[in-house]
């Protein structure tokens, strides 16, 4: 390293029948942000997609779903032209219209609704179908230019970010590339990278091959857990208790590095006194693990200086998820592992990139007096919950880009009821007729990442990467930037970003930040922002005001219900606990070959995932009188789905797991798994709680 873009042209085949290999970057919402090489067969067609070796985090490895991206980009169901609704809402009946008619209609409706209720009635809604900053976030420029309702993004990283930042102060961590050569223990905490970021696995297995131990903390025996030396199958939402009891053992048995803590932590003595009462037996009752296994793992962790914890998002998706994340980040501070090459922890690096976002997001236009609506509370918002609406007008007009909330949001019954409202004008810009698009008044066809230019930060590694379009846009598909600028023109929105090309926006954002210009970045295969050892390992201090790691979490900085949070790490007892009526805890986990709802239309993924399946402990199956393949009903007060049983060892009785955000057509009840999940905000200030759900399971 650094990556050498000049390696690429030598691979470009010159023969007429051979594909040309073109550099690109995976745009998906996955911390790997892989460097790709795409086989271009002609100006409109791709072949296989490969992981590139120009980036030593990707190191030639990508997931199977993106390797067969041709299935998606050339799928017969790609949207090809704009359409307007001709049948009832959600009926899927549409007629073809021109781009001009479509954009004119959207602009007229936005103006009409704003005239009736004020501009806050319009709520542009987006997420991370592409992670490219220009195409993803340009919608915010339109929002701010028009004074539309602001956006509080909570569906993915809010809980995990807050939990990490509460102690470390900033979203960056130790470089995962160190693991291969230097870590003696790798802990994959609360994530399933075999499914969700294969590159983490690749680096962890390189360490294991050298003799490092691999430990996985996950409520069920995932593909990742199957590769581990030790799997601790905690009850969902109890990682805080496990981490605190580990600290109890670390202090008691002499594994705590008091010199390190004196220099680098805020309150080691208070922490020691606090965890003295949090025994392994106390944690055993909460986590469902045996006290011995907690002690054994604590000793293993304490005895290994070069221990690396990869903190994932999965375990933060509970009401107490931020507290649990903070508790886990305290562990390397107690042992001083942060100071070791190959030691410490990583959750994400995404705050490391200096890129200037002013033009992309229209930051110079932000008006903080405008209400900020919570993304994950779409159901309550669209069904008129006054608290969710913050006392403001109803939401009566939306542009949805880059997300499929009719499948991925919690409380789907409310989401669907809201999206079906006659007085809601809905425009959806999409690649496919998703369940969300089916509710739209106007549907617009979108390009894929292969059909437009953009640039990408990464969370799992430290490269900032520019990618150029690889093939021509499909049919009449247009990129997000075009739609935003087309609407801005019709609405009279003013900002220089509406008159720039994506490439100009990129160069502006890079130049202002003193980064390589877009062309240089592309040629070099990405700019690496890895920090030197001292900084990466926080030896020159953590990113807090006093430069120390905070055992006493700074919850106040996040607002909301911060006063209800434990200051020192602890088990925060606010989860949706099992009850006699709802005796099971549901984890609604990611499937290997879907990416949220994306790829749930591709044949390779559907074949592998088969059908919605519930994994249950064999004892629970026996108690219910069900066997492999039987149908069961799974539900709670919010909704109900029918799934097929797969008895599984390696998870606790009382814990059930359904992988994948399956389309509604695969469920007899006509609604997906998120009908059961809750839109309750996690502590301290929001964040979706997809794995924190009490349910009943009934045979038949
Ligand atoms: N194939 C595939 N890849 C994906 C995605 C996908 O849907 N499919 N989604 C993408 C997105 S948007 C994101 S944000 C990332 C997320 O990726 P990661 O940050 O790696 O986290 P996940 O793999 O989602 O974590 C899921 C795991 O967390 C476990 N888990 C749930 N609750 C708890 C708990 O309380 N404690 C512990 N210890 N574990 C718990 C689940 O059992 C599951 O195995 O992945 C991305 N990559
Ligand atoms: N049960 C359960 N639910 C979950 C989760 C879970 O673990 N369990 N995970 C949650 C998490 S972490 C997340 S991040 C959310 C993610 O939820 P979403 O961000 O909604 O992710 P996707 O379902 O992948 O939908 C992205 C959509 O964007 C479209 N798209 C892609 N690129 C473009 C583009 O360039 N332009 C336009 N206009 N559209 C584009 C795709 O076709 C796709 O339909 O889901 C959440 N929901
Ligand atoms: S592992 Fe993640 S970043 Fe890499 S190709 Fe697959 S989805 Fe994209
Ligand atoms: Mo996510």
């Amino acid at each position: 390293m650094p990556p050498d873009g000049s390696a690429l042209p030598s691979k470009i085949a010159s023969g007429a029948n051979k594909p040309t290999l073109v550099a690109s970057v995976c745009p998906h919402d996955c911390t790997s942000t892989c460097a790709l090489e795409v086989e271009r067969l002609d100006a409109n067609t791709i072949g296989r997609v490969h992981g590139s070796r120009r980036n030593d985090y990707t190191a030639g490895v990508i997931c199977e779903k993106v390797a067969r991206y041709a299935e998606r980009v050339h799928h017969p169901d790609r949207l090809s032209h704009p359409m307007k609704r001709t049948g009832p809402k959600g009926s899927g009946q549409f007629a073809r219209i021109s781009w001009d008619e479509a954009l004119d209609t959207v602009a007229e409706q936005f103006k009409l609704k704003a005239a009736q209720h004020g501009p806050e009635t319009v709520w542009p809604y987006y997420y991370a179908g592409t992670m490219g900053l220009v195409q993803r976030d340009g919608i915010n420029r339109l929002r701010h230019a028009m004074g539309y309702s602001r956006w509080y993004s909570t569906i993915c990283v809010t809980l995990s970010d807050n939990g990490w930042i509460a102690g470390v102060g900033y979203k960056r961590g130790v470089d995962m590339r160190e693991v291969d050569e230097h870590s003696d223990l790798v802990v994959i905490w609360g994530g399933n990278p075999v499914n969700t970021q294969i590159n983490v696995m690749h680096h962890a297995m390189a360490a294991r091959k050298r003799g490092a131990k691999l430990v996985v903390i996950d409520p069920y025996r995932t593909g990742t857990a199957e590769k581990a030396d030790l799997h601790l199958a905690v009850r969902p939402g109890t990682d805080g208790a496990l981490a605190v009891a580990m600290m109890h053992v670390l202090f008691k048995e002499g594994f705590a590095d008091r010199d390190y803590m004196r220099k680098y932590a805020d309150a080691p003595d208070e922490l020691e006194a606090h965890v003295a009462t949090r025994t392994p037996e106390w944690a055993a009752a909460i986590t469902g693990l045996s006290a011995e296994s907690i002690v054994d793992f604590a000793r293993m962790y304490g005895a290994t200086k070069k221990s690396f914890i990869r903190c994932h998002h999965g375990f933060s998706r509970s009401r107490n998820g931020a507290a649990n994340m903070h508790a886990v980040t305290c562990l390397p501070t107690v042992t001083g592992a942060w100071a070791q090459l190959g030691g410490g922890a990583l959750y994400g690096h995404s705050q490391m990139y200096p890129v200037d976002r002013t033009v992309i997001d229209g930051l110079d236009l932000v008006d903080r007096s405008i209400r900020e609506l919570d993304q994950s509370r779409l159901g309550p918002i669209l069904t008129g919950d006054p608290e969710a609406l913050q006392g403001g007008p109803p939401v009566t007009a939306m542009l949805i880009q880059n997300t499929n909330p009719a499948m991925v949001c919690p409380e789907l019954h409310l989401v669907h009821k809201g999206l079906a409202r006659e007085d809601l004008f809905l425009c959806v810009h999409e690649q496919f007729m998703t369940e969300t698009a089916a509710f739209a008044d106007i549907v617009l066809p979108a390009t894929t990442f292969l059909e437009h230019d953009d640039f990408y930060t990464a969370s799992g590694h430290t490269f900032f990467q520019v990618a150029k379009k690889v093939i021509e846009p499909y049919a009449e598909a247009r990129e997000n930037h075009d739609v935003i600028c087309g609407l801005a023109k019709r609405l009279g929105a003013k900002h220089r970003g509406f008159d720039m090309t994506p490439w100009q926006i990129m160069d502006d954002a890079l130049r202002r930040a003193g980064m390589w210009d877009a062309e240089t970045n592309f040629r070099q295969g990405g700019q690496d922002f890895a920090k030197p050892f001292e900084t990466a390992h926080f030896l020159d201090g953590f990113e807090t005001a006093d430069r120390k790691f905070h055992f006493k979490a700074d919850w106040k900085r996040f607002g909301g219900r911060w006063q209800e949070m434990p200051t020192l790490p602890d088990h925060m007892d606010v989860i949706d606990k099992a009850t006699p009526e709802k005796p099971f805890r549901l984890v609604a986990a990611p499937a290997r070959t879907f990416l949220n709802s994306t790829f749930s239309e591709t044949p390779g993924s559907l074949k592998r995932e088969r059908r919605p399946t519930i994994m249950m402990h064999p004892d629970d199956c026996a108690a219910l009188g069900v066997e492999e393949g039987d149908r069961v009903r799974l539900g709670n007060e919010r909704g109900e789905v029918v799934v097929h049983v797969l008895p599984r060892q390696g998870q606790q009785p009382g814990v059930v797991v359904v992988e994948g955000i399956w389309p509604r057509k695969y469920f007899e009840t006509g609604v997906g798994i998120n009908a059961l999940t809750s839109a309750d905000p996690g502590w301290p200030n929001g964040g979706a709680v997809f794995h924190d759900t009490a349910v009943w399971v009934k045979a038949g």
Side-chain angles (χ1 to χ4, degrees):
M1 286 292 14
D4 180 5
S6 63
L8 284 173
S10 67
K11 291 188 188 163
I12 294 177
S14 52
N17 297 324
K18 284 198 189 149
T20 309
L21 282 180
V22 185
S24 185
V25 177
C26 181
H28 284 293
D29 189 0
C30 166
T31 62
S32 285
T33 318
C34 290
L36 304 179
E37 279 169 24
V38 182
E39 294 180 3
R40 177 165 59 197
L41 304 182
D42 60 40
N44 301 300
T45 322
I46 64 155
R48 290 286 291 179
V49 177
H50 307 275
S52 173
R53 295 201 173 275
R54 70 175 183 267
N55 176 305
D56 63 359
Y57 182 78
T58 304
V61 177
I62 59 166
C63 65
E64 58 184 281
K65 54 195 182 298
V66 170
R68 31 168 213 263
Y69 213 75
E71 277 189 1
R72 184 158 197 277
V73 70
H74 302 313
H75 196 291
D77 295 345
R78 274 287 298 276
L79 293 176
S80 55
H81 46 257
M83 294 188 287
K84 68 176 177 195
R85 179 168 65 86
T86 53
K89 288 242 178 192
S91 65
Q93 294 166 31
F94 292 96
R96 179 172 186 163
I97 55 172
S98 70
W99 266 102
D100 274 336
E101 182 184 344
L103 293 176
D104 289 347
T105 308
V106 178
E108 262 164 39
Q109 287 292 325
F110 279 18
K111 283 184 197 162
L112 189 77
K113 301 290 191 184
Q116 283 170 350
H117 304 280
E120 284 187 342
T121 198
V122 184
W123 192 29
Y125 191 100
Y126 74 108
Y127 205 55
T130 171
M131 293 284 279
L133 305 185
V134 176
Q135 307 292 351
R136 186 188 65 192
D137 300 333
I139 192 171
N140 289 324
R141 191 180 338 115
L142 183 67
R143 173 197 319 281
H144 298 316
M146 296 303 296
Y148 295 154
S149 277
R150 289 192 300 141
W151 179 246
Y152 187 33
S153 177
T154 53
I155 211 160
C156 184
V157 296
T158 306
L159 289 165
S160 41
D161 277 5
N162 292 354
W164 178 271
I165 290 167
V168 177
Y170 206 65
K171 191 170 174 185
R172 67 173 172 88
V174 175
D175 197 320
M176 183 93 201
R177 288 175 293 183
E178 284 179 19
V179 163
D180 304 30
E181 300 284 331
H182 303 291
S183 306
D184 294 326
L185 167 63
V186 181
V187 184
I188 293 182
W189 202 306
N192 181 13
V194 160
N195 281 16
T196 59
Q197 21 245 318
I198 192 66
N199 306 79
V200 165
M201 218 45 208
H202 182 71
H203 292 281
M205 293 312 281
R208 190 159 183 273
K209 217 167 151 190
R210 252 192 324 101
K213 292 274 182 273
L214 176 63
V215 177
V216 172
I217 319 288
D218 199 292
Y220 75 111
R221 181 78 44 89
T222 59
T224 307
E226 273 166 10
K227 301 270 188 222
D229 297 286
L230 176 66
H231 168 214
L232 293 179
V234 286
R235 276 188 204 133
T238 65
D239 301 83
L242 171 58
V244 172
M246 285 173 69
M247 288 184 247
H248 171 98
V249 177
L250 294 172
F251 277 106
K252 195 168 140 191
E253 299 194 3
F255 296 113
D257 186 336
R258 291 191 164 80
D259 291 340
Y260 177 86
M261 283 188 283
R262 208 161 296 126
K263 192 158 174 208
Y264 289 108
D266 62 339
D269 299 333
E270 278 178 68
L271 178 69
E272 181 167 6
H274 165 73
V275 300
T277 59
R278 305 297 194 270
T279 61
E281 290 71 25
W282 165 83
I286 297 167
T287 58
L289 302 170
S290 69
E292 299 76 57
S293 64
I294 297 172
V295 173
D296 288 349
F297 176 43
R299 286 178 181 155
M300 180 200 257
Y301 184 79
T304 318
K305 270 284 182 189
K306 290 173 179 254
S307 60
F308 186 96
I309 303 181
R310 180 57 166 89
C311 300
H312 289 260
H313 301 83
F315 82 102
S316 75
R317 307 203 194 289
S318 284
R319 288 166 180 75
N320 58 2
N324 294 341
M325 173 67 86
H326 172 253
V328 172
T329 61
C330 293
L331 290 168
T333 316
V334 172
T335 64
W338 290 113
Q340 304 288 319
L341 185 62
L346 169 65
Y347 150 61
H349 292 300
S350 51
Q351 279 186 318
M352 283 180 41
Y353 309 95
V355 57
D356 185 311
R357 306 176 53 106
T358 312
V359 173
I360 299 173
D361 291 84
L363 295 180
D364 40 356
L365 300 174
V366 175
D367 175 352
R368 298 201 179 278
S369 70
I370 294 172
R371 72 175 169 185
E372 197 176 56
L373 298 177
D374 183 336
Q375 169 187 25
S376 304
R377 294 183 55 70
L378 179 63
I381 285 169
L382 288 185
T383 50
D385 178 326
E387 198 197 324
L389 286 167
Q390 299 166 28
V395 169
T396 62
M398 295 178 81
L399 165 65
I400 299 185
Q401 250 184 351
N402 236 5
T403 181
N404 185 10
M407 285 174 70
V408 305
C409 253
E411 297 188 5
L412 278 189
H413 288 293
L414 292 184
V415 173
H416 292 181
K417 196 173 159 199
L419 290 174
R421 262 173 42 207
E422 279 303 327
D423 67 327
L424 173 71
F425 173 79
L426 178 63
C427 171
V428 177
H429 184 203
E430 248 301 341
Q431 296 160 347
F432 286 87
M433 184 54 74
T434 57
E435 290 180 20
T436 307
F439 281 104
D441 297 287
I442 298 284
V443 177
L444 306 172
T447 47
T448 67
F449 77 105
L450 295 168
E451 300 152 60
H452 57 235
D453 301 333
D454 214 335
F455 57 8
Y456 303 85
T457 59
S459 184
H461 61 74
T462 51
F463 290 85
F464 189 90
Q465 300 174 86
V466 170
K468 292 182 181 177
K469 81 170 181 179
V470 174
I471 51 173
E472 293 304 314
Y474 172 67
E476 291 186 19
R478 288 190 190 171
E479 57 195 74
N480 292 0
H481 177 71
D482 284 350
V483 168
I484 296 305
C485 297
L487 287 175
K489 200 170 123 205
R490 288 167 174 81
L491 289 162
K494 296 271 178 287
H495 192 275
R496 63 187 185 287
F498 298 128
D499 302 315
M500 293 162 79
T501 64
W503 200 265
Q504 288 168 335
I505 292 178
M506 289 198 262
D507 267 338
D508 175 272
L510 294 167
R511 185 176 42 77
R512 283 163 187 274
M515 296 164 71
W516 291 347
D517 63 77
E519 189 62 38
T520 306
N521 182 302
F522 179 74
R523 284 195 181 285
Q524 295 293 323
Q527 187 173 4
D528 192 353
F529 285 88
K531 306 263 184 214
F533 177 83
E534 293 267 313
T535 310
H537 287 259
F538 304 104
L539 292 173
D540 45 13
F542 287 84
E543 298 263 13
T544 51
D546 58 6
R547 307 302 290 165
K548 293 191 169 187
F549 179 92
H550 284 201
F551 288 131
K552 294 169 91 168
D554 183 10
W555 299 122
K556 189 178 180 183
R557 68 189 282 174
F558 308 112
R561 294 172 290 175
W562 62 273
Q563 278 161 311
E564 296 166 26
M565 306 275 295
T567 305
L568 288 162
D570 214 339
H571 173 62
M572 189 182 174
D573 192 12
V574 291
I575 56 179
D576 190 15
K577 276 194 287 218
T579 61
E581 296 73 41
K582 294 183 287 180
F584 295 92
R585 295 264 299 148
L586 167 68
V587 174
R592 179 162 179 173
T593 59
F594 298 161
L595 197 147
N596 304 314
S597 73
T598 303
F599 298 98
S600 65
E601 71 288 322
T602 53
S605 296
L606 287 167
K607 190 168 159 216
R608 188 190 180 279
E609 302 303 333
R610 233 178 124 223
R611 63 184 179 190
T613 300
I614 183 171
M615 296 180 225
M616 294 180 71
H617 192 275
D619 292 352
D620 287 333
C621 294
L624 277 173
V626 293
E627 293 178 0
E628 179 162 354
D630 285 354
R631 291 165 71 253
V632 292
R633 287 185 300 131
L634 168 71
N636 56 24
E637 66 282 10
R638 288 181 287 273
E640 188 176 327
V641 292
V642 174
V643 286
H644 293 265
V645 173
L646 180 63
R648 281 289 294 267
Q649 296 284 356
Q651 65 198 62
Q652 295 189 30
V655 174
V656 295
V657 181
V658 176
E659 285 186 352
I661 308 180
W662 286 86
R664 64 200 287 183
K665 67 181 175 201
Y666 295 96
F667 292 98
E668 291 172 26
T669 47
V671 63
I673 193 71
N674 281 322
L676 278 57
T677 57
S678 165
D680 285 1
W683 272 260
N685 199 6
V689 297
F690 290 108
H691 307 320
D692 186 2
T693 312
V695 292
W696 45 254
V697 182
K698 294 176 185 164

